[in-house]
Amino acid sequence: MKTAIIGLPMTGKTSLFAILTGATQETRIGSTAVRTGVAKVPDPRVDELARLYEPPKITYATVEYVDMPSISKESLRDPSYLASLRVVDAFAQVLRLFEDETIPHEKGSLDPVRDLEDVETELILSDLVVVEKRLERLEKDRKKIKNPELDREFELLEKCKALLEENRPLRELPLEGEEEKRIRGFQFLSQKPMLYVLNLGESDAARLHQREKEFREQTLAGRTHTAVTGVCGKIEAELAELPREEQRDYLSSYGLSESALERMISATYSLLGLMSFLTAGETEVRAWTIPMHSTAVKAAGAIHSDFEKKFIRAEVVNWKALMDHQGYPGVREKGLLRLEGKEYIVKDGDVLVIRHG
Ligand SMILES: Nc1nc2c(ncn2[C@@H]2O[C@H](COP(=O)(O)OP(=O)(O)O)[C@@H](O)[C@H]2O)c(=O)[nH]1
Ligand SMILES: [Mg+2]
């Protein structure tokens, strides 16, 4: 899973990228380089299972973050900038709410809703150019050849155009059956699921969840495929400097129970409809990311394509049950280990053993 961190200049994108990925913060103002980093998905279930099995290898799920140079009319005309945006699964747009007179804001004042709308408009205009070009091409082709495929694509793009012209993002376009596949190839920017990251000042840290709630209810009402997480860049940067065992206390002194990374990941997972299952044993404890409502055979395929092809059945137990009974002999004895077939719908926190041919 790949998320691009986007937004206006001086909103805290690079700072957030550094917090999430542990990359060194070389804040080069106005930098045009695209940086990619990997964040481990914090997962207490993996930690606990690893304490039980003490395996030589512990593997967390990972998320890739891309630190994008600021978004603007100009940057959105740069083909390599566009290419970097097109390939990601989701955007995280940083909205600046922290005040700091020494750090100028491009628009001269703090207004997250305005910033959100301005960036949205740029994404919409960028998609509109693509749609119009393709429609022109299709119009010519349809005069030359009769092909129902072209007609359907034309109809779909006409719908896209109508929505974009209302200044609405393609995220909000209801898609039926085939259309989903047909539109995918375009990798439209305004269609990407959007996580808004409110970068709050320190004085707002204790009200972080309140600010999220207000934003969700007031600003995001009716905006489908969007989510919000509040972060306080300053606090998170200080947090990263602390030894692990002091981090929880530091967070809870601000009334927070999770770090920005944890909150951003869980918001992104639910925005994208993702979840994790686990595998655990003496050799490795590992978390795997799959779409919600995946079948056991699909989960097997996430581990190895051969497991999917030669799937026989899955042994399934909830991770907590496995912990409570200190391993497989215990859960077997209690009858908590279930045998499931191909069509079993895997649940978040299931520990799987795939039996395959
Ligand atoms: N006070 C304060 N300053 C911040 C915060 N986040 C970032 N900054 C500062 O704002 C400036 C721009 O940050 P940067 O992450 O480079 O922003 P970008 O242009 O969006 O990548 C830097 O001087 C940061 O130290 C924050 O939460 N609070
Ligand atoms: Mg930056």
Side-chain angles (χ1 to χ4, degrees):
M1 184 175 88
K2 205 168 180 172
T3 301
I5 302 174
I6 64 166
L8 298 176
M10 303 296 203
T11 50
K13 300 182 297 300
T14 300
S15 311
L16 183 67
F17 174 80
I19 291 161
L20 297 175
T21 63
T24 49
Q25 171 143 23
E26 19 168 311
T27 308
R28 284 162 302 156
I29 309 295
S31 160
T32 53
V34 174
R35 272 210 298 172
T36 302
V38 175
K40 274 196 311 191
V41 176
D43 193 333
R45 301 167 305 183
V46 172
D47 299 334
E48 288 210 32
L49 288 166
R51 269 196 288 278
L52 176 63
Y53 283 103
E54 300 182 335
K57 202 168 166 206
I58 302 168
T59 313
Y60 294 85
T62 56
V63 177
E64 253 185 286
Y65 284 102
V66 188
D67 182 21
M68 294 297 299
S70 302
I71 217 157
S72 65
K73 271 197 193 355
E74 292 69 43
S75 62
L76 285 172
R77 276 195 217 105
D78 171 1
S80 77
Y81 185 90
L82 277 171
S84 305
L85 285 183
R86 293 218 186 279
V87 296
V88 302
D89 303 296
F91 291 153
Q93 183 181 344
V94 182
L95 296 171
R96 175 165 162 183
L97 278 100
F98 70 86
E99 297 194 36
D100 192 327
E101 277 164 19
T102 64
I103 301 164
H105 188 297
E106 190 186 51
K107 316 242 168 186
S109 62
L110 292 184
D111 185 344
V113 180
R114 172 203 59 203
D115 295 352
L116 172 158
E117 303 273 14
D118 286 357
V119 168
E120 189 91 295
T121 299
E122 293 308 329
L123 299 179
I124 287 169
L125 289 175
S126 166
D127 285 346
L128 197 54
V129 171
V130 176
V131 168
E132 282 173 343
K133 256 198 206 137
R134 182 65 193 151
L135 278 172
E136 254 174 58
R137 179 83 242 168
L138 281 170
E139 211 139 5
K140 281 188 197 138
D141 289 352
R142 288 205 312 162
K143 282 186 192 134
K144 282 185 241 151
I145 9 168
K146 265 231 125 337
N147 181 343
E149 281 293 306
L150 295 184
D151 296 342
R152 263 178 243 133
E153 188 182 344
F154 189 84
E155 279 163 31
L156 174 61
L157 290 178
E158 282 281 313
K159 273 202 267 182
C160 292
K161 185 168 173 235
L163 193 78
L164 294 167
E165 281 174 345
E166 284 177 43
N167 197 28
R168 285 172 61 199
L170 294 175
R171 256 176 261 127
E172 294 175 10
L173 186 71
L175 295 170
E176 295 152 19
E178 280 279 284
E179 293 180 332
E180 178 117 28
K181 268 197 197 136
R182 214 177 286 279
I183 204 170
R184 213 177 286 157
F186 289 98
Q187 300 177 307
F188 287 124
L189 303 183
S190 74
Q191 201 194 359
K192 309 260 182 215
M194 179 74 91
L195 174 68
Y196 291 105
V197 181
L198 306 178
N199 193 6
L200 302 167
E202 265 172 299
S203 57
D204 256 347
R207 265 172 297 167
L208 187 139
H209 292 303
Q210 184 59 30
R211 299 303 294 262
E212 281 174 353
K213 184 164 178 281
E214 286 163 9
F215 194 81
R216 187 178 303 116
E217 288 170 2
Q218 290 162 21
T219 311
L220 298 187
R223 295 182 195 258
T224 53
H225 304 292
T226 63
V228 58
T229 320
V231 305
C232 180
K234 267 268 158 66
I235 290 176
E236 295 292 334
E238 282 159 23
L239 187 73
E241 306 283 311
L242 291 177
R244 242 184 110 128
E245 55 288 0
E246 288 172 29
Q247 293 185 350
R248 292 282 154 201
D249 284 346
Y250 187 74
L251 279 171
S252 56
S253 71
Y254 286 97
L256 299 171
S257 57
E258 292 178 305
S259 68
L261 175 62
E262 289 167 306
R263 282 178 288 113
M264 269 188 70
I265 299 240
S266 69
T268 311
Y269 269 45
S270 70
L271 184 63
L272 296 181
L274 298 172
M275 55 167 247
S276 308
F277 74 92
L278 307 138
T279 51
E282 260 87 50
T283 51
E284 188 182 19
V285 167
R286 179 161 183 173
W288 306 83
T289 304
I290 51 171
M292 273 179 215
H293 314 299
S294 294
T295 57
V297 67
K298 280 288 161 211
I303 302 174
H304 200 292
S305 55
D306 273 357
F307 289 11
E308 184 172 351
K309 279 185 227 134
K310 299 176 185 161
F311 182 94
I312 299 172
R313 59 176 182 270
E315 292 177 0
V316 184
V317 63
N318 173 264
W319 77 276
K320 192 76 174 60
L322 195 61
M323 286 307 300
D324 289 348
H325 298 90
Q326 295 292 296
Y328 282 100
V331 290
R332 228 176 243 123
E333 193 182 312
K334 293 275 177 208
L336 295 172
L337 189 71
R338 306 184 316 272
L339 286 180
E340 302 282 3
K342 280 189 178 177
E343 298 305 318
Y344 169 72
I345 303 296
V346 177
K347 292 181 193 64
D348 195 67
D350 274 351
V351 185
L352 301 189
V353 178
I354 306 296
R355 297 289 170 212
H356 53 91

